[in-house]
Amino acid sequence: MLFHITHTHGYTTCMAHDEEGKTKFSQTIATAEESGVKVHGVYADPPGHQIFMVVETDTMEQLVKFLDPIIDFGDYDIRPVLNFSTAMATLSNS
């Protein structure tokens, strides 16, 4: 299952000037497969203090395990998503 994750933090909690936080966030993404998560992409909006991720996992438990080391870095909006072509094919078969 694919998930779109939006991570939001504030200016005062921004990792840009926190080497330890930046390293921890990067390591979490780099070791995602250890939690059973495949990272398809990570994108940043630095002035907006947001990070966007598209990840794939079999269970919600794996997603929770993946995010656990960085869960206190900000707020997360997690949405299950479909590949657009898959969604269109599914809808046209209804």
Side-chain angles (χ1 to χ4, degrees):
M1 179 175 254
L2 290 173
F3 292 93
H4 180 270
I5 302 169
T6 302
H7 161 86
T8 304
H9 57 271
Y11 172 78
T12 58
T13 58
C14 186
M15 291 169 280
H17 307 289
D18 173 11
E19 289 303 317
E20 185 178 320
K22 194 182 331 182
T23 298
K24 190 173 186 179
F25 203 96
S26 296
Q27 286 177 340
T28 298
I29 292 168
T31 60
E33 289 189 14
E34 293 175 13
S35 300
V37 174
K38 179 179 179 183
V39 177
H40 287 275
V42 180
Y43 311 92
D45 170 10
H49 298 282
Q50 290 188 310
I51 297 170
F52 307 95
M53 295 180 262
V54 176
V55 302
E56 184 175 355
T57 186
D58 294 328
T59 68
M60 188 62 166
E61 290 84 0
Q62 290 169 318
L63 185 61
V64 170
K65 183 178 179 183
F66 162 65
L67 290 174
D68 184 59
I70 56 173
I71 200 70
D72 60 343
F73 282 24
D75 295 320
Y76 294 83
D77 180 47
I78 303 168
R79 300 189 180 261
V81 294
L82 287 174
N83 172 286
F84 185 75
S85 299
T86 302
M88 291 300 101
T90 302
L91 292 172
S92 65
N93 292 332
S94 300

